[in-house]
Amino acid sequence: MEIKEFLDLTKKKGIEETQININSTSEIEIKTINERMKENSTSINEVYNVLAKINGKYVEVSANYLSEDLIDLLMLEADNLEVNYEEEFVHENIEGDSFLKPDFNTKDELKGLLKLNNLRKEKYPLVEYIEGYYGMISEKTRIINTLGIDISTESVDYILYISVSAKKEDITESYSDVIYTTKKEDIKIENLAKEVMSIAEKSLEKQPIKSNKYLTVLSSDFMSNILSRMIPLFSSGQIRKKESCFEGKLNKKIFSDKITIIEDPLNKDMPAYTLFDYDGTKTQKKKLIENGVLKTYLYNNKEAKLAKTNSTGNGYSNISARNMYIKPGSKTKEEIISEIKEGLYIRTYQESGGTTVNPITGIISVQVFGSSIKDGKIETDFEPCVLTINLFDLLSNVVEIGNDLVYKTSITASPTIVVDNVSISSN
Amino acid sequence: MKKEFYEKLLKKSLDYGCEYAEIYLEYTETKSFTLLNSKLDNMDFEKNHGTGIRISLNNQVFYTAVNSQKDEEIEKQFNNLLNNAGLTKKKDIDFILEDNVIIPNDIKIEHNNYPIDKKIELLKKIDKRIRDYSNKISQVKVLLREYDRIFTIMNTDGKNKTAHDLVTRITCVPIAEEKDKKEDTVGNYGKGQGYEFLDDFNYEEFSDNVADICVRKLSAKKFKGGKVPVVIGNGFGAVIFHEACGHALEATAVSENLSTFADKLNQRIGTDKVTLIDDGTIPGEWGTTQIDSEGETTKKNILIEKGILKSFLVDKVNSKKMNHHVTGSGRRQDYRYAPTSRMNNTYLQKGNDKIEDMIKSIDYGVYCKSLRGGSVDTITGDFNFSADECYLIEKGKVTDMLTGITLIGKGQEVLKKVEMVSDDLKLSTGYCGSVSGTIEVTIGQPTIKVSELLIGGQE
């Protein structure tokens, strides 16, 4: 069923107002392993989120096609829901934006990935396997409603992911890294591959370390991922439901004054650009944490109405953030490490499948990988350990922040950060 | 359904030199009902349909997915796929697609046939029971989720099958508060059934158990961390096997030599206490499917028998690469994903040891009665998982409750450290995420003792 036909039908059936958010994605990806292409896939998908006002109640359904029975489901919700959360329909048109056209040539990108196998064989003899993944996602969000509104925003992102396994005698290690970017020229396949293969070979030599509290240098990869797990803590919805350890902490100092966390969805140089959120609220740059003080929660329309405040433009399928990052400092990563007499460099962690950051307690407990640091130099890798710390302690014990801001997830970025007194459990 | 249309496309793929091709049509419906603050706070309804098309040749897979089931769109995507693969017509193959077979299921009470007011009533009973348990319970969320999938798989083996899978699950998340401390826990109960899944459900026992754990966690203590012997509880405790070896036995990793067990078939990889089975046929179980996403009949697969590796989990495309029989393990989240080998209902077989003997045998260690999720690197075998309900063992006795516990190990080592296995086998529901998306899986085990695992602590 076409959109206009659907909207007309909702009117005929007595629905007061209807708004449809159409999220269209088109993805291309290629996967390689050593000398061959493993998989080439494409995907086209549209998701329709329908918001309706029926007898004063606001109800929603979701589908990837429009049909009359969606209206029946909306009616069913309206009949049964015991709580009515007021929503707001978009009533103001937002001027559209232009964006770079997608630029992905499967044959060329595939050539680039397959060349890595020669590099592997020539320069990294201990690397047995190199897997490459190169993908492009173009996304368009359109909101159209019975008030005559029709707005849209779009973006294109590129993702490069390299994963290798290295072997020496009976020891096997693996390492992987990723680049998320909106600028194709940032994708330097060979550079990333060299870095990943070097680290994998280096990690074949490991030394045990003692369980202790350490001065740790947390990589941008580690912190970007932790930051993405922190997003729900800022959600006003989770705050209201008592599912966040940030509850009751607004305008309070919760982290070191070195920590400022910013969200900038309107920055087209960052991968998660969007002009408006799924509610149609224009997005805005904002400081979530400023010099350690929690400045704002994140709101969509529904939660904003409940809290009698304005939406912050963070309404997605859940309340979320786009282009969220820790404000960088001034020192390079190399300068930071050179100043450390004794400590650990935490390169990455393995997700624990459950909650990496427990939203209720704030506890982080993850398996980590990295190297020792001695007299300003990175030394041997350490055997896998468990890092356990409370989030408030993690970001309060900050000693230094680097200037190397890098996106290691599609929505969050961080520079290298030095934190003291981090509990590490080892063999 | 127009058999001739699909037959023509599949024949074309063979004429163009494909080794294998399939067309997957899917329709799904998801409904969830959330109770919060003792009221029906949210209802989520979602309907999706789509088509996934896969061709494979020379160890390569080409896949496309589109949210349409219109003939013109399917034909266009099919031709695009052949074009992407650089294929042209080479031969004229005789090919016949069988008539469609509808795989019977034993659903007794379909989701739409169970009254909505009874669903809400059940959620409210659970909510009240938990809140009444203790005044330290400050919030309760109870969620009921229904998922229906009807799919048709047609492939160049001539198979043409339609199946209907469904799952139903209750999830409960209470939060307890005392002074400045707050804790949560999660309780789940689900089956691969319609509302007959409530026949064996005791909501009072379920609610009391979840409330009890949540409240007692308020007085949980921090742990020092280190390598200690561990007793792991039954049911969801089997996350250890899911992570330690389950993923590493999937052909997804094995066929590319990216598994620590890839070259270990018929070799000892665990103690003789370890017999691990993956069974996609258990009637009404959460991870059971009538057929897999490639149209193959699901099976009971003995993966490890008394410590000896006997089988991998192998889908159709990887079976050719590995020269291994198909195990009916090709699964996918939905049409957007190409299927690959995944787990169904994976469990450790019962033993004869007694739990009290396990505890008595430990001077200083940990008893992880229930766990949360985990993850694994199949190449290195490094795995981890986090504990939910966990206790200290001191001088053969269970003492303080512990908090903030993560356990890590290597799959190839931990299987050789399983010392004792009890007889209280229990299966639990979960979700597993991997390359073919997030799917329903059951994991299960009796209570076991592992001689040592590294545990993270805050002290």
Side-chain angles (χ1 to χ4, degrees):
Chain A
M1 190 184 274
E2 297 299 321
I3 294 169
K4 187 173 181 314
E5 194 186 338
F6 183 85
L7 289 175
D8 289 344
L9 189 58
T10 61
K11 281 279 180 199
K12 267 197 205 134
K13 292 213 167 192
I15 294 179
E16 290 151 59
E17 297 298 347
T18 309
Q19 178 166 290
I20 308 176
N21 174 311
I22 307 135
N23 186 260
S24 311
T25 52
S26 170
E27 296 179 43
I28 308 173
E29 55 185 50
I30 40 177
K31 296 177 190 171
T32 61
I33 181 163
N34 287 359
E35 75 287 353
R36 65 180 174 87
M37 189 201 74
K38 202 161 77 157
E39 190 176 314
N40 171 339
S41 42
T42 59
S43 165
I44 300 166
N45 200 33
E46 273 172 334
V47 177
Y48 298 87
N49 287 300
V50 182
L51 172 68
K53 187 177 176 186
I54 302 175
N55 301 328
K57 268 191 185 167
Y58 292 84
V59 289
E60 279 183 271
V61 294
S62 175
N64 69 359
Y65 63 99
L66 293 174
S67 64
E68 192 167 341
D69 54 355
L70 293 184
I71 299 176
D72 297 334
L73 287 175
L74 288 165
M75 303 282 201
L76 182 70
E77 269 191 61
D79 285 341
N80 285 282
L81 273 179
E82 294 172 338
V83 183
N84 183 30
Y85 292 108
E86 224 183 296
E87 289 273 9
E88 194 169 308
F89 290 96
V90 180
H91 50 267
E92 222 176 281
N93 271 314
I94 299 171
E95 199 181 308
D97 49 6
S98 62
F99 215 84
L100 293 171
K101 290 287 173 216
D103 174 15
F104 195 90
N105 182 303
T106 304
K107 287 198 169 78
D108 291 344
E109 319 314 358
L110 179 59
K111 262 193 213 155
L113 286 180
L114 291 176
K115 271 190 199 159
L116 298 179
N117 193 46
N118 294 335
L119 179 65
R120 174 188 73 85
K121 288 195 287 191
E122 284 163 26
K123 299 263 165 68
Y124 301 91
L126 299 177
V127 173
E128 277 197 318
Y129 295 98
I130 180 162
E131 286 186 284
Y133 167 98
Y134 194 170
M136 184 200 74
I137 302 173
S138 64
E139 184 179 355
K140 181 174 174 177
T141 302
R142 181 185 176 199
I143 297 179
I144 181 167
N145 65 26
T146 46
L147 296 170
I149 294 296
D150 190 345
I151 57 175
S152 62
T153 181
E154 50 190 292
S155 64
V156 176
D157 287 317
Y158 302 91
I159 303 141
L160 174 66
Y161 174 80
I162 305 279
S163 173
V164 308
S165 73
K167 189 169 179 174
K168 188 176 174 186
E169 289 157 18
D170 58 352
I171 297 172
T172 305
E173 289 299 336
S174 68
Y175 185 64
S176 61
D177 203 351
V178 67
I179 296 174
Y180 287 93
T181 182
T182 193
K183 293 184 272 186
K184 187 128 184 269
E185 57 269 28
D186 288 347
I187 300 281
K188 309 255 188 265
I189 297 177
E190 212 170 278
N191 287 357
L192 185 67
K194 281 178 182 168
E195 198 182 314
V196 171
M197 288 194 278
S198 299
I199 291 172
E201 285 194 333
K202 180 180 179 309
S203 69
L204 286 166
E205 304 278 342
K206 280 187 160 68
Q207 296 288 338
I209 57 171
K210 284 192 178 144
S211 296
N212 207 343
K213 291 199 175 192
Y214 286 88
L215 179 68
T216 56
V217 177
L218 304 172
S219 72
S220 51
D221 179 277
F222 180 94
M223 278 313 303
S224 291
N225 279 283
I226 293 289
L227 200 59
S228 74
R229 301 286 175 262
M230 281 170 62
I231 291 173
L233 306 184
F234 292 96
S235 159
S236 53
Q238 298 224 181
I239 299 285
R240 178 176 59 83
K241 293 174 207 169
K242 296 178 169 298
E243 291 171 0
S244 165
C245 53
F246 283 3
E247 185 191 349
K249 294 188 164 51
L250 200 57
N251 296 317
K252 292 193 172 134
K253 190 163 186 296
I254 59 171
F255 299 145
S256 157
D257 53 17
K258 292 184 169 68
I259 294 288
T260 293
I261 297 176
I262 297 167
E263 192 215 3
D264 190 4
L266 290 169
N267 190 327
K268 284 190 175 181
D269 288 337
M270 297 180 172
Y273 164 84
T274 184
L275 188 56
F276 50 80
D277 69 1
Y278 286 7
D279 290 335
T281 306
K282 212 162 170 215
T283 53
Q284 46 182 284
K285 183 176 180 177
K286 58 180 94 55
K287 287 180 182 165
L288 280 68
I289 303 276
E290 186 170 22
N291 302 327
V293 177
L294 176 59
K295 301 299 289 180
T296 181
Y297 297 133
L298 300 177
Y299 292 88
N300 59 10
N301 274 345
K302 171 178 130 179
E303 295 296 336
K305 289 223 177 285
L306 281 172
K308 294 184 176 31
T309 185
N310 296 321
S311 170
T312 54
N314 289 94
Y316 301 100
S317 41
N318 293 308
I319 291 179
S320 187
R322 299 272 184 116
N323 293 338
M324 183 167 135
Y325 61 94
I326 294 176
K327 188 177 168 191
S330 54
K331 288 189 181 169
T332 65
K333 181 172 110 183
E334 292 71 26
E335 280 168 347
I336 284 174
I337 290 173
S338 71
E339 288 168 5
I340 298 204
K341 194 166 163 46
E342 193 166 335
L344 299 179
Y345 176 64
I346 308 290
R347 201 161 48 228
T348 189
Y349 73 87
Q350 198 161 301
E351 291 286 350
S352 70
T355 26
T356 299
V357 179
N358 185 309
I360 308 294
T361 62
I363 290 178
I364 300 167
S365 187
V366 287
Q367 184 177 10
V368 294
F369 304 86
S371 318
S372 300
I373 301 174
K374 201 167 164 71
D375 296 325
K377 289 196 170 60
I378 299 260
E379 303 227 308
T380 325
D381 271 27
F382 52 76
E383 285 175 6
C385 300
V386 182
L387 179 157
T388 308
I389 193 166
N390 190 291
L391 175 67
F392 296 104
D393 292 333
L394 179 77
L395 291 180
S396 293
N397 299 347
V398 173
V399 171
E400 188 69 70
I401 298 184
N403 66 1
D404 54 333
L405 186 67
V406 183
Y407 270 87
K408 291 297 184 183
T409 77
S410 57
I411 52 175
T412 54
S414 175
T416 300
I417 289 185
V418 185
V419 178
D420 203 359
N421 244 356
V422 176
S423 177
I424 299 284
S425 303
S426 71
N427 289 329
Chain B
M1 176 157 40
K2 308 131 286 201
K3 190 189 107 164
E4 293 71 30
F5 169 72
Y6 299 111
E7 188 175 70
K8 182 190 87 179
L9 290 177
L10 290 169
K11 173 182 156 45
K12 187 174 182 178
S13 71
L14 293 173
D15 290 347
Y16 277 50
C18 293
E19 289 163 11
Y20 173 78
E22 73 189 15
I23 300 170
Y24 176 85
L25 306 171
E26 181 190 77
Y27 171 77
T28 60
E29 253 187 53
T30 311
K31 292 196 185 85
S32 67
F33 306 83
T34 306
L35 202 81
L36 189 72
N37 296 319
S38 308
K39 291 196 175 128
L40 186 64
D41 183 82
N42 194 40
M43 289 164 78
D44 272 319
F45 294 151
E46 194 174 324
K47 284 181 169 224
N48 290 309
H49 72 181
T51 307
I53 304 167
R54 180 169 67 149
I55 62 175
S56 76
L57 69 158
N58 303 328
N59 248 343
Q60 299 178 333
V61 168
F62 294 82
Y63 193 79
T64 190
V66 65
N67 61 318
S68 170
Q69 292 185 352
K70 291 184 181 160
D71 289 356
E72 322 76 84
E73 190 62 42
I74 292 175
E75 187 159 11
K76 177 181 156 194
Q77 294 303 328
F78 204 97
N79 289 330
N80 280 349
L81 211 56
L82 294 175
N83 195 41
N84 282 347
L87 297 175
T88 53
K89 186 167 179 175
K90 293 176 173 58
K91 36 198 165 177
D92 190 357
I93 304 277
D94 286 329
F95 172 72
I96 294 175
L97 183 64
E98 290 163 6
D99 289 336
N100 182 252
V101 169
I102 296 179
I103 306 296
N105 62 43
D106 51 6
I107 301 168
K108 294 187 177 51
I109 309 174
E110 299 259 4
H111 290 140
N112 292 335
N113 292 343
Y114 195 76
I116 195 168
D117 56 339
K118 286 188 86 172
K119 296 175 190 176
I120 299 166
E121 186 194 330
L122 171 64
L123 298 182
K124 288 189 171 180
K125 280 206 284 213
I126 294 169
D127 173 77
K128 184 175 188 315
R129 182 89 184 183
I130 293 173
R131 287 179 186 276
D132 287 348
Y133 185 88
S134 165
N135 58 12
K136 292 178 187 171
I137 300 282
S138 61
Q139 180 60 283
V140 181
K141 181 162 77 177
V142 194
L143 173 73
L144 175 64
R145 186 173 186 268
E146 303 167 357
Y147 180 70
D148 279 78
R149 174 185 22 224
I150 299 171
F151 68 93
T152 298
I153 178 82
M154 294 166 281
N155 64 27
T156 45
D157 291 346
K159 288 199 169 81
N160 182 357
K161 297 182 184 177
T162 296
H164 179 192
D165 291 329
L166 82 175
V167 294
T168 323
R169 183 159 103 151
I170 294 168
T171 300
C172 175
V173 184
I175 295 172
E177 281 185 78
E178 186 175 50
K179 293 175 194 163
D180 59 348
K181 272 203 96 179
K182 224 179 188 187
E183 286 284 353
D184 71 335
T185 191
V186 181
N188 286 306
Y189 176 77
K191 290 281 182 194
Q193 293 176 329
Y195 275 87
E196 63 271 24
F197 94 118
L198 293 176
D199 291 348
D200 294 329
F201 180 57
N202 182 328
Y203 88 89
E204 285 143 327
E205 196 180 293
F206 172 82
S207 308
D208 291 349
N209 185 49
V210 160
D212 179 59
I213 294 169
C214 193
V215 170
R216 282 192 295 109
K217 281 174 84 172
L218 287 170
S219 47
K221 295 182 177 165
K222 293 177 187 178
F223 181 67
K224 194 171 177 223
K227 225 171 192 180
V228 295
V230 183
V231 173
I232 301 176
N234 65 356
F236 208 76
V239 152
I240 184 171
F241 293 102
H242 180 94
E243 301 303 349
C245 59
H247 282 293
L249 299 183
E250 291 168 340
T252 318
V254 175
S255 68
E256 303 287 2
N257 238 342
L258 297 173
S259 162
T260 191
F261 298 120
D263 57 351
K264 302 278 188 293
L265 204 55
N266 297 314
Q267 293 180 36
R268 178 165 290 284
I269 61 169
T271 67
D272 58 12
K273 298 274 184 178
V274 177
T275 292
L276 192 73
I277 294 164
D278 183 81
D279 187 353
T281 70
I282 303 175
E285 202 37 77
W286 173 256
T288 294
T289 53
Q290 307 305 315
I291 50 172
D292 75 0
S293 293
E294 295 178 316
E296 297 294 317
T297 308
T298 46
K299 297 182 168 105
K300 178 178 177 174
N301 299 297
I302 299 174
L303 302 176
I304 305 172
E305 191 166 27
K306 294 190 175 154
I308 308 290
L309 179 58
K310 304 300 281 182
S311 175
F312 296 116
L313 291 169
V314 184
D315 57 283
K316 219 177 178 29
V317 166
N318 281 312
S319 75
K320 290 188 169 68
K321 220 188 285 181
M322 291 168 61
N323 198 23
H324 188 294
H325 63 276
V326 172
T327 56
S329 307
R331 299 188 69 191
R332 68 181 102 194
Q333 174 181 329
D334 57 45
Y335 72 92
R336 294 171 297 166
Y337 298 86
T340 190
S341 51
R342 304 287 297 274
M343 291 172 266
N344 281 81
N345 305 303
T346 317
Y347 62 94
L348 184 75
Q349 207 168 65
K350 302 191 234 201
N352 299 313
D353 299 305
K354 300 276 174 252
I355 298 171
E356 47 269 33
D357 292 339
M358 294 178 194
I359 306 287
K360 272 188 207 157
S361 72
I362 294 173
D363 188 55
Y364 184 79
V366 161
Y367 176 22
C368 292
K369 208 162 172 213
S370 70
L371 304 179
R372 284 194 165 171
S375 69
V376 65
D377 179 335
T378 59
I379 299 171
T380 62
D382 287 313
F383 71 88
N384 65 73
F385 50 92
S386 57
D388 190 35
E389 187 188 358
C390 195
Y391 301 91
L392 191 58
I393 299 173
E394 294 174 293
K395 295 188 187 339
K397 287 192 168 58
V398 175
T399 59
D400 299 323
M401 199 175 201
L402 301 172
T403 185
I405 299 292
T406 291
L407 301 95
I408 72 171
K410 273 191 185 297
Q412 59 272 38
E413 290 170 7
V414 79
L415 296 181
K416 293 176 180 165
K417 294 179 180 176
V418 176
E419 282 186 347
M420 299 170 82
V421 176
S422 183
D423 60 0
D424 57 338
L425 173 63
K426 183 179 161 190
L427 302 182
S428 291
T429 65
Y431 285 96
C432 170
S434 183
V435 292
S436 62
T438 301
I439 56 172
E440 295 82 15
V441 294
T442 299
I443 54 177
Q445 66 170 39
T447 303
I448 64 170
K449 179 193 170 190
V450 178
S451 58
E452 61 177 13
L453 276 172
L454 175 59
I455 298 189
Q458 288 177 266
E459 290 295 305

